Amino acid sequence: MHFGPRHWHGKSEFLLDKLNSYAPDIVINTGDSTTDALENEFAAAGDFLKSIECQYVVSIPGNHDKRNMRSADYFRQYIENIEVIRPLNRDKCRKNNIFLEGNTNGIKEHFTDINFLKNITVNGESLLIVCLDSNVLYKDNGFVDKEILKTLSHTINKASYDKIILLTHHSILDTDSDPLFNSRIVVEFVREHNIEHVFCGHTHHLSIMRSTDLYHKHSFTQYKNGSLSSGNTLNDTNMFLYYKDFGTEAMEIHVVRAIVENDDVQFKEEIISTR
Ligand SMILES: [Fe+2]
């Protein structure tokens, strides 16, 4: 959504009405809610997200949301009031700026990575949502810390659930000029936990891809839509995806494009069958 200078000029009320008309079970926001991770941008994004009529609105941070040493604090204050998962062994972490020197900068949160799990129940089934922070503080390209993946695996292995999905800001299949450099270890993580559905964002580009590992006999699908309400939509219009009967044989994906026309927003819907 890029609240701040890169936010669109459309009216959010029209977008909210359209989103709410689907009465979704879950809403997934794959990051870059802000432009520069400023507090007023986080607050505006938080207000928008709270206006979505859905019990489970799950957001992860994007690279733009990590342009501030207070990103983790702001994210928890305005977007998701979650318990961040800490690494099993902090000395093994290799991501740049994953820990900040608290005594020199005086900020409350020294640990900058925002990884968490959410276990929710939808239609009687428990869904484990793994939220992986692929972003590096102050950088646009991505990096995932091996020790964080190990810690997440440790926590996932103790959890009980019927279905599992992964949310990560950077794509793990196709890339752009600011890619996730070590996506391979995330693909391995996806296979290890038998994850079949991965949601990502970042590139402002619609892409729904299935990847099959012929050696390990594992397939997963990565869902990536364009931006929801951004000012820079060079690749396509703003859009969101609506997944009907998600994860079933009958699943339909609705690509809902939002086109700003003067003071109005027009919506164009295209239905993709996944069979
Ligand atoms: Fe991004």
Side-chain angles (χ1 to χ4, degrees):
M1 300 184 286
H2 281 311
F3 274 92
R6 283 172 72 171
H7 192 54
W8 74 343
H9 298 293
K11 284 207 172 77
S12 289
E13 305 89 84
F14 296 127
L15 191 53
L16 280 167
D17 283 348
K18 187 71 177 171
L19 285 168
N20 291 335
S21 72
Y22 290 88
D25 294 314
I26 314 171
V27 171
I28 292 171
N29 163 22
T30 50
D32 284 348
S33 297
T34 71
T35 302
D36 282 309
L38 302 177
E39 185 170 13
N40 65 318
E41 296 174 356
F42 271 110
D47 284 345
F48 179 86
L49 293 165
K50 283 179 192 88
S51 302
I52 298 173
E53 292 163 5
C54 176
Q55 192 180 357
Y56 302 111
V57 179
V58 185
S59 297
I60 56 168
N63 50 305
H64 283 262
D65 306 323
K66 291 192 68 178
R67 292 183 169 187
N68 193 319
M69 65 165 72
R70 290 172 178 80
S71 286
D73 278 348
Y74 289 157
F75 184 82
R76 293 180 62 217
Q77 186 179 345
Y78 295 104
I79 309 287
E80 286 276 355
N81 186 20
I82 36 84
E83 192 74 40
V84 167
I85 293 174
R86 304 250 162 187
L88 289 168
N89 184 348
R90 65 171 282 172
D91 296 335
K92 286 191 178 166
C93 291
R94 294 289 171 268
K95 190 190 267 195
N96 284 340
N97 286 322
I98 195 165
F99 283 96
L100 293 176
E101 288 300 323
N103 50 0
T104 50
N105 59 39
I107 62 161
K108 197 173 90 193
E109 183 61 86
H110 307 172
F111 179 58
T112 66
D113 232 33
I114 307 167
N115 302 281
F116 55 99
L117 301 183
K118 280 203 161 183
N119 205 335
I120 66 172
T121 303
V122 181
N123 299 328
E125 277 191 319
S126 69
L127 174 69
L128 187 68
I129 307 171
V130 181
C131 300
L132 173 69
D133 190 348
S134 60
N135 311 288
V136 184
L137 197 72
Y138 310 137
K139 295 260 194 255
D140 288 329
N141 45 47
F143 185 84
V144 169
D145 199 298
K146 239 182 177 168
E147 185 64 10
I148 294 293
L149 283 183
K150 192 181 163 192
T151 308
L152 283 174
S153 286
H154 182 78
T155 317
I156 292 167
N157 291 340
K158 287 192 293 184
S160 63
Y161 53 86
D162 298 315
K163 285 185 176 149
I164 179 169
I165 61 172
L166 174 71
L167 316 188
T168 170
H169 183 63
H170 292 81
S171 165
I172 60 172
L173 289 180
D174 53 348
T175 61
D176 68 345
S177 52
D178 297 310
L180 173 60
F181 283 118
N182 59 347
S183 59
R184 185 184 61 82
I185 61 169
V186 184
V187 172
E188 283 172 10
F189 173 85
V190 164
R191 174 164 50 78
E192 274 163 29
H193 294 286
N194 209 14
I195 296 170
E196 291 175 20
H197 307 283
V198 177
F199 295 83
C200 65
H202 188 54
T203 67
H204 297 223
H205 209 118
L206 174 68
S207 123
I208 303 161
M209 299 170 79
R210 185 163 291 152
S211 168
T212 300
D213 181 331
L214 292 170
Y215 183 71
H216 294 100
K217 309 278 183 253
H218 173 256
S219 291
F220 71 93
T221 308
Q222 175 179 278
Y223 310 89
K224 182 172 61 150
N225 52 292
S227 47
L228 179 69
S229 50
S230 163
N232 58 329
T233 51
L234 297 173
N235 298 324
D236 205 333
T237 55
N238 281 297
M239 65 172 75
F240 63 87
L241 301 186
Y242 167 63
Y243 305 85
K244 188 168 179 247
D245 298 321
F246 182 79
T248 69
E249 287 275 300
M251 174 158 78
E252 278 179 3
I253 302 176
H254 297 221
V255 180
V256 185
R257 290 184 165 86
I259 299 125
V260 180
E261 282 177 3
N262 301 318
D263 276 348
D264 199 10
V265 180
Q266 295 293 326
F267 293 97
K268 287 202 177 115
E269 193 160 335
E270 182 188 344
I271 300 175
I272 303 165
S273 167
T274 54
R275 265 169 282 183

